[in-house]
Amino acid sequence: GQQLNQSPQSMFIQEGEDVSMNCTSSSIFNTWLWYKQDPGEGPVLLIALYKAGELTSNGRLTAQFGITRKDSFLNISASIPSDVGIYFCLSGGSNYKLTFGKGTLLTVNP
Amino acid sequence: DTEVTQTPKHLVMGMTNKKSLKCEQHMGHRAMYWYKQKAKKPPELMFVYSYEKLSINESVPSRFSPECPNSSLLNLHLHALQPEDSALYLCASSHDPFGPPFYEQFFGPGTRLTVL
C-alpha cells in the first residue's frame, strides 16, 4: 500500500524556536493535509493543500504542497507551549482513502 | 455547529460484554468514518459510510459491527472483544465522500476503550 515517510519522528525545542517537519512518498497525491492531535483528543485539521506548489499559512503555521506532488512540509514559527502534540501529515489520492504519516511528536520547553 | 461528538468518552468492558460507541455530527456531512488508534500510532481506518451506506470495510473482524441509522449518527457495536482491541476509537465526518473536500475530515474526541 501507499506509505508516507514523516520526519522527524520527534522534536524537543525551546519556546520561541521555529519548527519544520516534512512528509515524502514514492507515490503522487492530489491532496496533502496536516493535522495536530493533543493527548486524549481527536486530530484537528490545521492546513489543507490541493495544488502542487501551493503554499498556505494559518497563523504561525505554513505548509507547502511539493511541486512533484510527492512531498509536503509544515513549518511552525515562534513555537509556544500549546504547540505540544503529535502532528500528522495525510495524503489523498484517487481511491478516496487517506494515508497517514507516522506522526511527529513535538515537545516545547518553556 | 462544527463539532463531532462521541460517547462515551471512556469505556471498560469484559470480553463477554456487548456495548456500543456513538458518534454524532450536525454539519450536514454525508460521509462518516470509524478509526482505531493505538498509542503513539496514527489512526487506522476501519469503516466508511457514504450517504448512510457502508462503502468501505477495511477487513475489520466481525466483532465490530457499524451502523448508520441516519445521516447524523454513526454507531459501532462491540461484542466479544479481545484485550488487544483496547484503543482510542475515533469517529470522523467529511462533507463529500467523493473527492475534495472529502479529505477534510473532522474528528471527534474519541472513545478510550479498555477490554479486560
Side-chain angles (χ1 to χ4, degrees), chain A residues 61-102:
Chain A
L61 278 61
T62 302
Q64 184 160 29
F65 191 147
I67 197 71
T68 64
R69 294 168 61 193
K70 294 182 179 180
D71 63 314
S72 176
F73 72 75
L74 174 70
N75 289 340
I76 305 173
S77 63
S79 59
I80 59 178
S82 62
D83 290 334
V84 165
I86 302 178
Y87 292 78
F88 290 105
C89 63
L90 281 76
S91 57
S94 59
N95 62 355
Y96 314 125
K97 281 183 62 175
L98 290 180
T99 301
F100 277 79
K102 293 189 185 303

Side-chain angles (χ1 to χ4, degrees), chain A residues 33 35 37 50 93 96-97, chain B residues 37 58 102-105 108:
Chain A
L33 306 171
Y35 280 78
Q37 186 172 23
Y50 289 103
Y96 314 125
K97 281 183 62 175
Chain B
Q37 186 177 27
E58 289 290 302
F102 142 81
Y103 304 113
E104 295 181 25
Q105 295 183 15

Side-chain angles (χ1 to χ4, degrees), chain A:
Chain A
Q2 297 166 336
Q3 290 190 352
L4 298 183
N5 299 310
Q6 183 171 353
S7 64
Q9 189 173 357
S10 62
M11 301 181 74
F12 298 84
I13 63 170
Q14 293 297 124
E15 183 177 359
E17 290 183 356
D18 296 343
V19 172
S20 184
M21 59 192 79
N22 69 84
C23 276
T24 61
S25 173
S26 57
S27 302
I28 291 175
F29 291 107
N30 299 325
T31 302
W32 285 94
L33 306 171
W34 286 93
Y35 280 78
K36 181 195 177 197
Q37 186 172 23
D38 291 330
E41 298 292 331
V44 174
L45 179 63
L46 300 174
I47 292 179
L49 303 161
Y50 289 103
K51 292 170 60 175
E54 180 180 0
L55 182 71
T56 298
S57 293
N58 178 5
R60 293 179 296 106
L61 278 61
T62 302
Q64 184 160 29
F65 191 147
I67 197 71
T68 64
R69 294 168 61 193
K70 294 182 179 180
D71 63 314
S72 176
F73 72 75
L74 174 70
N75 289 340
I76 305 173
S77 63
S79 59
I80 59 178
S82 62
D83 290 334
V84 165
I86 302 178
Y87 292 78
F88 290 105
C89 63
L90 281 76
S91 57
S94 59
N95 62 355
Y96 314 125
K97 281 183 62 175
L98 290 180
T99 301
F100 277 79
K102 293 189 185 303
T104 295
L105 174 61
L106 178 63
T107 303
V108 180
N109 296 316

Side-chain angles (χ1 to χ4, degrees), chain B residues 12-82:
Chain B
V12 179
M13 61 186 290
M15 288 189 285
T16 59
N17 292 157
K18 285 185 181 181
K19 296 287 184 183
S20 297
L21 308 184
K22 296 185 183 303
C23 174
E24 190 167 2
Q25 58 88 13
H26 294 288
M27 295 177 278
H29 288 175
R30 304 316 303 267
M32 296 186 76
Y33 313 81
W34 280 114
Y35 287 87
K36 173 183 177 181
Q37 186 177 27
K38 291 286 212 178
K40 299 183 180 180
K41 299 288 187 182
E44 298 174 9
L45 182 65
M46 299 174 72
F47 302 104
V48 179
Y49 272 82
S50 167
Y51 292 92
E52 300 157 49
K53 294 194 185 321
L54 183 65
S55 60
I56 295 177
N57 177 341
E58 289 290 302
S59 302
V60 179
S62 59
R63 57 185 184 270
F64 295 91
S65 175
E67 178 197 19
C68 190
N70 59 56
S71 60
S72 299
L73 294 174
L74 187 66
N75 299 322
L76 186 63
H77 302 298
L78 314 173
H79 174 54
L81 295 194
Q82 304 296 311

